[in-house]
Amino acid sequence: MIRLEHILTPARSLVNVPGGSKKRVLEQIAKVIARDLPDLDPQAIFESFVAREKLGSTGFGNGIAIPHCRMSGCASPLSAVLHLDAPVDFDAIDGAPVDLLFVLLVPEAATDEHLELLRQIASMLDREDVRERLRQASTSEALYQTVVDIQSGR
């Protein structure tokens, strides 16, 4: 079974990311992911995230969003986690602005993997203690390590 820590890297775990707006945050996410996928255009990745948001906000509640999309040209699932320097309006279901984003990019055909990863992320972020630990991480390395620890039950 695929696990979140296998598709996340310290380089894609970012703290104090400038927010501004939902659009700007999605643009930044696309650039972060494109660094590790040189065959994919950041603009194409951004447009995939925007198209997914048009189907319904990925704002999960409690200040969290889980932007995700399928992408042709993506060979295996990829994740990123961002803690914004200030919350942004993300049209979340509870109306709360978002400061913590878990991002998921999966190959076009990866439905079961996609759903399993979304389930792992959602169940992890359902816990208030987990959200607090993630928000308290002060460096990219600490944020990444927090995700790994949580996934390992520490």
Side-chain angles (χ1 to χ4, degrees), residues 81-130:
V81 59
L82 288 81
H83 186 201
L84 304 180
D85 63 356
V88 299
D89 181 17
F90 221 83
D91 308 311
I93 50 174
D94 63 356
V98 163
D99 69 333
L100 203 52
L101 297 102
F102 263 84
V103 183
L104 191 57
L105 188 75
V106 296
E108 254 180 336
T111 35
D112 290 348
E113 272 185 336
H114 187 182
L115 295 173
E116 170 57 26
L117 288 163
L118 284 172
R119 188 197 63 69
Q120 281 181 43
I121 294 168
S123 65
M124 178 174 77
L125 296 175
D126 237 6
R127 295 175 33 208
E128 191 174 343
D129 62 314
V130 166

Side-chain angles (χ1 to χ4, degrees), residues 5 15-16 18 38 47 52-53 58 65 80 105 117 119 125 132:
E5 68 265 28
V15 297
N16 297 319
E47 287 166 9
R52 170 58 192 85
E53 289 295 326
T58 57
L105 188 75
L117 288 163
R119 188 197 63 69
L125 296 175
E132 277 313 301

Side-chain angles (χ1 to χ4, degrees), residues 134-150:
L134 292 167
R135 287 187 170 111
Q136 286 166 4
S138 58
T139 65
S140 298
E141 292 76 20
L143 185 59
Y144 172 77
Q145 193 57 53
T146 301
V147 172
V148 171
D149 289 349
I150 291 164

